Amino acid sequence: MKTALGKGLVRSILLLSPLALAGCLTSRAPEVACWNLEHAAADAAAKAEARFGVVRVSQVVVRAPYAAKGIAVLRANGTVAFDPYNEYAAGPGALLKGVVSDAMEASGLFKAVVGESSSARASLLAEVVVTRLAIDCREEGVRRASAELLLQLVDGREIAALAKGAGGADAADGNYGAALSRAVSDALAAALGRL
């Protein structure tokens, strides 16, 4: 009995030894990059005259499948993939709230821009629906950040203004945070310019 038990124990140790050493001898997987989204101000953007009162950024919604934490990649065959090594630092909807507020404030169109948790009185609510937020790889050898959105200003229960915007930026250098930030900022600037 003792020899059978001893042989089984030795056999188990020998089988587990390669697994224990595998972490030391193999190359490790690449680290996951967690990208932030920030407002990328346009070069020499002139502020418009304030045409609206105080606006509260009430909601920013990112449509599926782009709402995932992993960065969406549009592929040539029409499918959407999610890069396992490049993701957002938080949910894209949460990151975009700051981008929207900063872009609206920088536009000069509003007397003031307040967040949804502010107790300040606002005459308008801003609602943003992001309909595309991805790295577009549908063209051979091209990586381009792409963003499309709908911005609406709501007065009470009535839509006071509505505008769409689209933006893009080269992402070939692999700095996806900067490229996606530029694409979203351009899309917001386009929509704000149409109000």
Side-chain angles (χ1 to χ4, degrees), residues 19 24 40 60:
L19 295 175
C24 297
V60 178

Side-chain angles (χ1 to χ4, degrees), residues 61-72 82 88 90-94 130 132-133:
V61 176
V62 181
R63 278 194 189 161
Y66 309 108
K69 192 166 182 200
I71 292 179
F82 296 93
Y88 297 105
V130 179
R132 174 176 287 172
L133 183 62

Side-chain angles (χ1 to χ4, degrees), residues 72-100:
V73 178
L74 305 178
R75 300 191 297 188
N77 65 1
T79 61
V80 176
F82 296 93
D83 188 334
Y85 299 111
N86 289 287
E87 60 184 33
Y88 297 105
L95 293 176
L96 288 171
K97 284 185 179 183
V99 177
V100 169

Side-chain angles (χ1 to χ4, degrees), residues 15-129:
L15 288 172
L16 292 175
S17 293
L19 295 175
L21 295 174
C24 297
L25 300 177
T26 60
S27 63
R28 65 180 199 183
E31 289 185 31
V32 175
C34 295
W35 299 99
N36 192 20
L37 296 173
E38 298 175 343
H39 177 244
D43 297 331
K47 276 193 166 190
E49 186 177 327
R51 293 189 355 231
F52 302 100
V54 177
V55 65
R56 179 183 319 281
V57 178
S58 67
Q59 64 177 318
V60 178
V61 176
V62 181
R63 278 194 189 161
Y66 309 108
K69 192 166 182 200
I71 292 179
V73 178
L74 305 178
R75 300 191 297 188
N77 65 1
T79 61
V80 176
F82 296 93
D83 188 334
Y85 299 111
N86 289 287
E87 60 184 33
Y88 297 105
L95 293 176
L96 288 171
K97 284 185 179 183
V99 177
V100 169
S101 292
D102 292 347
M104 293 180 80
E105 190 173 319
S107 74
L109 291 171
F110 305 94
K111 181 178 175 183
V113 179
V114 297
E116 66 183 332
S117 62
S118 172
S119 59
R121 186 184 319 256
S123 55
L124 295 169
L125 298 177
E127 300 175 349
V128 176
V129 178

